[in-house]
Amino acid sequence: MAELENTPVSQTPAESDYIIEMLNITKIFPGIKANDNVTLQLRRGEIHALLGENGAGKSTLMSVLFGLYQPEEGCIKKNGEVVKINNPNDANALNIGMVHQHFKLVECFSVLDNIILGVEPNTAGFLQKDEARKKVVALSEKYGLQVDPDAIIEDISVGMQQRTEILKMLYRDNEILIFDEPTAVLTPQEIDELMHIMKNLAAEGKSILFISHKLAEIMAVADRCSVLRKGKYIGTVNTADVTVQELSSMMVGRPVQLEVNKEPAQPGEPVLEVEGVTVKSKTHKGNAVTNVSFQVRRGEIVCLAGIEGNGQTQFVYALTGLDNMSSGKITLCGEDISNSSIRARAKNMSHIPEDRHKHGLVLDYSLEQNMVLQRYWQKDFQHFGFIKFGEVRQYSDALIEKFDVRSGQGSLTPARAMSGGNQQKAIVAREMDKDHELLVAVQPTRGLDVGAIEYIHAEIVKERDAGKAVLLVSLELEEVMSLSDRILVMYEGEIVGEFDPKKVTVEELGLYMAGAKRDTPSAKEAKSDE
C-alpha cells in the first residue's frame, strides 16, 4: 500500500477543472489537531468520496468548507479564485450546500418550514408558501425523496428527517453538494435510491463531496476517493483502480477483517419473552406495533429487521421503557417488566439506542459523566451520595482505551465536541460493559468505520458466546445476514416472517421487508410439516 499512501492529490489537470480547492488546511481544537495540512480538490461534475476512521477529521474539513469553522492555516478556492467563507450564509452564496451528519432541523417546525427556512419566498413581506410547496413536491418526486410537507419534524422518522435535509439543499439550487454520512440512517432501498440520485446530480453538472464509512457505496458511486487518517492526508485514488480491501487498509493503516467470524449458536433458556405487545401510533389512529410475540434465548443473536418506519423504533421504546404499550406482556429473566421503570429494566438490560443524541448521551456532559450515566449511584462510583470522581475517571479512561474512543481531552471532553462515530463508540462501550443479561442493540454500528465495525461485531459475538441474549435491530442487510442467528422481519408493526440467515437470501428478505410476502399461520404450519 506504500504507493497508494504516497499518491499525489491528483495529476493536476487545468486549474479551471477544479470547482473547489481546499489547500493546506489546518484546524486545531483543544488537545487535538483535527486537520493537519490537508489538501482536497474537487473536479466539476464528479462525486468525490472522503474516507477515514471515526475522528479522522472528515466532518471538520467539510465544516471548514461550509463556514462552520475557520481554519488556522490554508485557503479555499472556488473556480481558481481564493474565497473567504466566514459562515454558512457565505457558503450558500457560493452555491455550497451541506447535509449534516447530525441534522440541523427545528423539531417543532414542519418539513416545509425547515426546507424554506432562511430563503422564505415572499411578496411585499407576505410569506408565499404555496409556490414553495409546489417546488418542494416537484423536487421530492423528481429525486424519489417523498415526504409529507406538513409533518412536524419531531414526529417523523430519522430517515424522513434525512430526506428533509437533502431537499433543503436541493431547494437552494446548490451546485456544490456536501453529503456527510448521508446513508447512515437510510434503508438499503433508500440507499440505492440515493446513490442513483447522486449520479443524476453529477450528470446534471453538480459536484459532490461524499463522506462515508461504507466502502461498497464509495466503490459504487464515487469517481475518486481521498483518505484521511488521524487528521493527516493519506492519498487520493481513482476508485476504479483500487479494491475495497486496499481502501480499508489505507483508512485504518492495517488489514481489516471484513467478514464476521462466529461459531454456530448454542441457545439456552429464554431471557426475553414478548407476548402480544401492541403500541399505539402517535402519528395516526392505528397501532405502530400490533400483537408482537417472540423470544430471545441465552447464547443467540436475534435480529429484528425491516424497513425504517415499520414499528421497530416504537417496539424498542416499549421494551426499554421509553414509551408505554397499550397491551401485552414483557418478561425479562423470568420477571414481568411490562410496567417497570427504565432504571428497573436497566438492571438486566443494556440498550444501545437508535438516536444517540436524544437517548444515548447528555451532550453537554463530559465523556466520563456519560460513561457512568446508568451506574453513578452504584457503590463503585459513590459513597453516601457523594460521587467518587477518581473512580469515575479511572473507569472512563479504561473504557476509552478498550473501545478506542478518540477525543481531544480524553475523559474531560464534552460529548458534543466528539465526532458522531466516537459518540457511538462511547455508548457502545458503556452499554456493553454494564452488567446485563439482554443487550438491545439498535443500529449499533451506525456511522462507524470498518475498523470499529469489525471490533463491535466481535464484541457482540462475545456477548452471545458468554451466554447473553442479544436483540439486534438493524437496517443494514449485510449486518443482519452476517451477525444474526435468527431473523424476524417486521412490516407495518407486525412480525411477518422468521428466518435462518443461512437458509434465506437477501432478495427473499427484501420481499418480506417490503410487504410483498408474509408468513400466514397456514404457511407456518406448512413449513413445520416440511
Side-chain angles (χ1 to χ4, degrees), residues 450-508:
V450 288
I453 290 172
E454 174 193 40
Y455 182 77
I456 298 304
H457 281 175
E459 289 297 308
I460 290 175
V461 172
K462 280 184 189 175
E463 292 273 306
R464 182 202 74 166
D465 293 345
K468 309 296 184 185
V470 179
L471 178 62
L472 172 69
V473 182
S474 180
L475 302 176
E476 303 282 349
L477 277 180
E478 187 177 330
E479 182 170 69
V480 170
M481 295 294 283
S482 61
L483 204 53
S484 308
D485 299 310
R486 280 195 295 136
I487 301 171
L488 304 173
V489 175
M490 183 174 272
Y491 176 72
E492 292 188 344
E494 299 181 61
I495 302 294
V496 295
E498 179 175 333
F499 306 95
D500 180 340
K502 296 186 183 70
K503 298 177 181 177
V504 69
T505 64
V506 170
E507 291 74 19
E508 186 176 8

Side-chain angles (χ1 to χ4, degrees), residues 196-210:
H196 184 66
I197 289 165
M198 291 171 68
K199 287 181 177 178
N200 286 343
L201 289 168
E204 290 175 9
K206 296 187 185 295
S207 305
I208 297 174
L209 283 163
F210 172 43

Side-chain angles (χ1 to χ4, degrees), residues 239-303:
T239 53
D241 299 334
V242 292
T243 65
V244 168
Q245 193 67 54
E246 286 172 330
L247 273 184
S248 65
S249 296
M250 280 183 77
M251 174 171 64
V252 182
R254 61 173 176 82
V256 178
Q257 176 64 45
L258 299 175
E259 300 291 328
V260 177
N261 289 324
K262 62 186 178 77
E263 297 296 321
Q266 304 292 330
E269 76 275 9
V271 171
L272 174 68
E273 297 176 83
V274 177
E275 302 171 54
V277 167
T278 298
V279 181
K280 288 183 178 176
S281 172
K282 292 187 175 181
T283 57
H284 57 78
K285 290 183 179 179
N287 294 325
V289 179
T290 304
N291 195 31
V292 165
S293 300
F294 63 89
Q295 294 181 341
V296 185
R297 295 168 291 180
R298 291 191 185 281
E300 73 170 345
I301 300 169
V302 175
C303 180

